Amino acid sequence: MKNILGKNSVEIDKKHLEANKNFIVSLVSLSKIRWTEDVPTREDVEELGKTLAIMMGINGDIQDLIKEAYFEIDCKMGLGVSLIDPEAQHDSEWVNKQEDINWFYSDAYEKYLKQQKWSPTVVQSLSDVGSKILGYLQDPTSPGTWDKRGLVIGHVQSGKTANYLGLVAKAADAGYKFIIIIAGIHNNLRKQTQERIDEGFVGRTRDEDKWKIVGVGASHNKFPYPATLTNIYADFNKQTANNSGWSINGFSKPVVLVIKKNVSTLTSLRDWLEDLNAKGNGKISDIPMLMIDDEADNASINTKKEDNDPTKTNRKIREILSLFEKSCYVGYTATPFANIFINPEAYGDEKLRQELFPKDFIYCLDAPTTYFGPDKVFLDEKSSEQILQKITDAENYLPFCHKKNFEIQALPPSLYEAICQFVIVKAIRNLRRHHGKHCSMMINVSRFVDIQKSVQLHINMYLKSVKEAIKANYAMPEAFSVKNSYMQQLQKVFKKSFSDCNVTWCEVKTELLNAITAVRTVVVNSSSGESLNYKKYEKNGTGLTVIAIGGLSLSRGLTIEGLCISYMYRNTRMYDTLMQMGRWFGYRPDYEDLCRIHLSEDSINWYGHIAESADDLREQIQQMQEDGLSPKKFGLYVLDHPDRLLVTATNKMRNGEKCTFKHNFSGKLVESYILPIDEKVNSSNHKLIQKYWSSGFGRGLESIERTQKGWSIENVELNQIEEFLKSFQTHPDFLEKRSAVVTYLKSISHLFPHCDVLLISLNENSTQTEFTLGAQERKSATLKENGYWRLQKDRVASRGDEKIGLTSNQCDKAIALAAKRGKKPSDFHYRSIRRKPLLMLHNLDLGEDNKIQKNIPAFGISFPPGEYSQGITVVANMVWINQLHGGVFDAPEDEEDDE
């Protein structure tokens, strides 16, 4: 009887969830119909929701449902920006001119996304973007031999897979017969990608030994299932393919493969294609082929592991492409410092090198407005202050640098606090009626499998103790329960982190037992045998509540559903590795305010730097598009980008050999974020500022104008700036960067003979009589052992400082430029309008508590975008790298030693 009642209860819960889901979908659809031009207010949607609830028989409080619907209604996505070769003889409108194309797979995919509660506006934008990218590919019915190469730049966890799934569906409709999707280098990512392809394109999946209809397959009685030689259990295998006797031209429907990116699989696929499918001249002439390379920047990383050797992997990809007379290659990446741009010397053959270069197009995707991305986490000062939690105690428990046999005695107190946060977040989400939704925590503290298992053991022991304490106290009066140390800790964490989340401690306390009972721990790596099986819990109508512990398997491509709390203590500064570790990016409907990310101070600084650099690159693409430049020009720009060193150089300099680079600072702001503690040095710099200020940097006092934040001097001769920077004393660790800036300034002097100067001062009573700047507080600075202060996120200026000194007309132009690109104005846009270098001078008060040092001069110099041909040549070794970038730790080849 009990089992029957339990089964009935589950069925009732499923029906309730389905009814709520239908209500949300209907409310979103009706809102889009009623408000076609503008986004409605929350109140408007609430009124419509009340009426709809009566019509649909939805009883009870519908506020949470309305909130979820409004998240979808308010979600918008731009069309992005593309960079194409203006001299190429290619008609990108062929897609719109082919009237006989039946968009069956594409329509089915879009219908499926809407069923999954995607915003109709976003689905339409996704479709429009897919059509544009397809247009940059070749018309598959075109005669002759052709190849197209492109790159799509997205954002981490922003929907790149959804985008290329849409492209795959449209390409199949248009006539591409053979589609290869190269997923990541690990089985769990390949399986995750296969599941997405099965649901969004294939329409069925393997369920043990039989086929099961899923996703798009359920939308049509006679769905034309594409053929697939891979499934969620098995990667491509030549023997299996040979035994089937299949050849790709024997199918009337498109063929799709989802394969892991390693040498063995790629070799097997190449051999099968060559043995069974190539005809006559050793080419496959009658099958248009599309290859999607997911995580494309991970194809040529200089790893020591033979199976993932970049040269071999890339060569196998190129060999497969060369077998087809009609082929298109599209790389997808969220880290646009991809090696296909920045490491051309790794390819000995010039022809092969250019084969993967995106010679035909680069497409930069926009993220939907509801995207929880690097801007919110690291660049927006208000939101990042709430989200980011600085780890200061982990080194004594689990050092950055540790061996595989390191014995963990205890976990850092900050990690225990993060676990308490997770339990509280789960309780709050239960109060918000998120019972059926996934809720996850990520812990990434070691690349070693044994260490990961040890961390899991300590966490399980801690969770057991906390659960026992909650079980004994959650229903007790506060006067009694507060005596328990675990309950004290939970309450302390709640007050510190979540007291402004519209719930009380008493409410949270009553839900703690349900919350912690739901928590599971999983070690995620290639040898653990465990997996984040969210699908299993979805089938049961419940969400998975999990603490996922891992290394590289949590660091690239893998989607961690419902991620709320992240704890990462790793010492990599490689751009792609570090940014891909940010699994916390994505979409957080109705729980964005609960997300917390624990990182070391260095990681916070580097993430901020990377987020800004990636944003700058996207701005450069837009600028280049407006200037009518080609992808090759962007490749040259990235090749000369100073941050390139963090992606490739250290990999090739393990033994200290020297390498030659060019540097280009176009469109970048360079600041003296490493500040000396030597009073004599700082005093000397103050006198230097007074000297140049008193002469108006050679233009006289009459040239100095008052601004809302100090003074400005326009059109200073560049030689004055060079002399000033040469005389400005810095800490030894910043000398090389200052030298690089001065040299670059000289290299562009024929293009920009003049520079503007800002003397930034926050002291309203300061005057020019003493030529002393009013100080700006920077309390987040940290005193380093090397004898210098380092500013958080390596930022000296406040955001918006580059707006100072511009006329209202110039500001309007910057705002219009940003609006044209679908953004709010940033320093990059003000920099673009100024169209000449800008020197900014600061006086900083630093430190926290009793560690305050006052009146430290600092400078920043920004360079206008648009000049991509100039650059300075440097010869670098590891000492130079350390001086320029503050050192580099883990490289990608060091990841997952035991996995």
Side-chain angles (χ1 to χ4, degrees), residues 56-85:
M56 296 183 67
I58 303 291
N59 300 316
D61 189 359
I62 59 171
Q63 288 302 313
D64 291 330
L65 301 180
I66 290 172
K67 188 186 296 184
E68 189 169 340
Y70 193 71
F71 179 88
E72 301 295 335
I73 294 164
D74 193 36
C75 185
K76 301 180 291 295
M77 186 175 78
L79 296 180
V81 62
S82 57
L83 199 63
I84 60 175
D85 185 354

Side-chain angles (χ1 to χ4, degrees), residues 269-271 273-274 278 282-285 318-325:
L269 178 56
R270 193 259 342 248
D271 292 347
L273 288 169
E274 191 171 36
K283 299 279 188 178
I284 302 172
S285 60
R318 295 194 300 273
E319 287 175 354
I320 291 170
L321 290 169
S322 67
L323 285 172
F324 290 83
E325 288 189 353

Side-chain angles (χ1 to χ4, degrees), residues 336-394:
F337 298 87
N339 286 11
I340 51 175
F341 287 131
I342 63 178
N343 195 15
E345 63 268 28
Y347 307 95
D349 187 308
E350 180 69 13
K351 181 181 178 182
L352 285 180
R353 179 184 75 82
Q354 293 208 356
E355 225 179 316
L356 284 191
F357 184 85
K359 59 184 177 62
D360 297 296
F361 71 90
I362 297 171
Y363 199 103
C364 199
L365 299 173
D366 283 348
T369 52
T370 49
Y371 175 56
F372 182 80
D375 283 7
K376 289 182 182 178
V377 177
F378 295 103
L379 300 184
D380 185 293
E381 293 180 7
K382 184 178 180 181
S383 58
S384 65
E385 185 177 349
Q386 178 191 51
I387 296 165
L388 294 176
Q389 318 269 295
K390 191 186 299 183
I391 300 173
T392 59
D393 57 1

Side-chain angles (χ1 to χ4, degrees), residues 372-373 376-378 384 386-391 418 421 442 563-568 581-585 588 594-600 604 607:
F372 182 80
K376 289 182 182 178
V377 177
F378 295 103
S384 65
Q386 178 191 51
I387 296 165
L388 294 176
Q389 318 269 295
K390 191 186 299 183
I391 300 173
Q421 285 181 338
M442 179 189 79
L563 183 59
C564 302
I565 306 296
S566 304
Y567 190 98
M568 191 184 85
M581 283 179 174
R583 297 293 93 197
W584 46 77
F585 303 126
R588 307 287 182 261
L594 305 179
C595 294
R596 301 293 182 268
I597 301 168
H598 298 254
L599 296 166
S600 69
I604 290 173
Y607 268 112

Side-chain angles (χ1 to χ4, degrees), residues 51 60 136 353 404 487 545 555 649 652 676 731 733:
T51 303
Y136 296 141
R353 179 184 75 82
K404 62 192 296 183
M487 296 299 290
T545 302
S555 299
K652 299 180 295 180
H731 187 275
D733 282 16

Side-chain angles (χ1 to χ4, degrees), residues 214-425:
V214 295
V216 293
S219 64
H220 198 278
N221 291 332
K222 296 182 179 180
F223 190 84
Y225 304 108
T228 178
L229 304 181
T230 60
N231 58 59
I232 60 172
Y233 303 110
D235 201 345
F236 179 84
N237 182 285
K238 183 182 178 228
Q239 182 178 357
T240 303
N242 279 340
N243 290 342
S244 71
W246 291 347
S247 63
I248 56 178
N249 56 8
F251 290 93
S252 59
K253 301 181 183 68
V255 180
V256 61
L257 309 179
V258 180
I259 64 174
K260 191 166 61 174
K261 188 184 298 186
N262 66 26
V263 175
S264 174
T265 304
L266 291 167
T267 301
S268 295
L269 178 56
R270 193 259 342 248
D271 292 347
W272 176 72
L273 288 169
E274 191 171 36
D275 294 347
L276 199 61
N277 297 281
K279 308 293 181 184
N281 61 354
K283 299 279 188 178
I284 302 172
S285 60
D286 53 349
I287 302 293
M289 186 272 279
L290 170 63
M291 179 184 287
I292 302 290
D293 185 2
D294 197 7
E295 310 295 347
D297 58 301
N298 201 25
S300 51
I301 291 175
N302 189 15
T303 173
K304 295 176 183 176
K305 296 182 180 180
E306 183 177 349
D307 192 50
N308 298 327
D309 182 270
T311 303
K312 291 181 180 178
T313 303
N314 266 344
R315 181 165 293 279
K316 296 305 177 187
I317 291 173
R318 295 194 300 273
E319 287 175 354
I320 291 170
L321 290 169
S322 67
L323 285 172
F324 290 83
E325 288 189 353
K326 307 173 191 292
S327 69
C328 289
Y329 168 91
V330 183
Y332 275 76
T333 179
T335 45
F337 298 87
N339 286 11
I340 51 175
F341 287 131
I342 63 178
N343 195 15
E345 63 268 28
Y347 307 95
D349 187 308
E350 180 69 13
K351 181 181 178 182
L352 285 180
R353 179 184 75 82
Q354 293 208 356
E355 225 179 316
L356 284 191
F357 184 85
K359 59 184 177 62
D360 297 296
F361 71 90
I362 297 171
Y363 199 103
C364 199
L365 299 173
D366 283 348
T369 52
T370 49
Y371 175 56
F372 182 80
D375 283 7
K376 289 182 182 178
V377 177
F378 295 103
L379 300 184
D380 185 293
E381 293 180 7
K382 184 178 180 181
S383 58
S384 65
E385 185 177 349
Q386 178 191 51
I387 296 165
L388 294 176
Q389 318 269 295
K390 191 186 299 183
I391 300 173
T392 59
D393 57 1
E395 195 64 17
N396 295 328
Y397 296 86
L398 187 58
F400 268 146
C401 300
H402 57 266
K403 302 293 185 181
K404 62 192 296 183
N405 57 355
F406 179 83
E407 290 189 16
I408 301 175
Q409 302 301 319
L411 298 180
S414 58
L415 180 49
Y416 289 127
E417 180 180 335
I419 294 168
C420 286
Q421 285 181 338
F422 181 60
V423 174
I424 291 168
V425 164

Side-chain angles (χ1 to χ4, degrees), residues 675-679 682-683 686 773 775-779 789 842-847 849-857:
L675 302 172
I677 62 174
D678 190 324
E679 294 288 358
N682 292 322
S683 176
H686 276 300
L773 295 173
Q776 307 165 61
E777 285 190 351
R778 293 290 185 270
K779 290 186 177 181
W789 290 90
H842 308 265
N843 181 22
L844 305 178
D845 286 353
L846 306 179
D849 304 324
N850 297 321
K851 301 182 296 181
I852 295 177
Q853 185 170 353
K854 295 188 175 183
N855 299 319
I856 301 181

Side-chain angles (χ1 to χ4, degrees), residues 60 165 175 233 453 456 572 662 719 768 796 815 832:
L165 248 171
Y233 303 110
K453 291 178 180 176
Q456 182 189 35
T572 182
K662 281 187 70 181
N719 66 329
Q768 290 195 64
V796 175
I815 293 169
S832 302

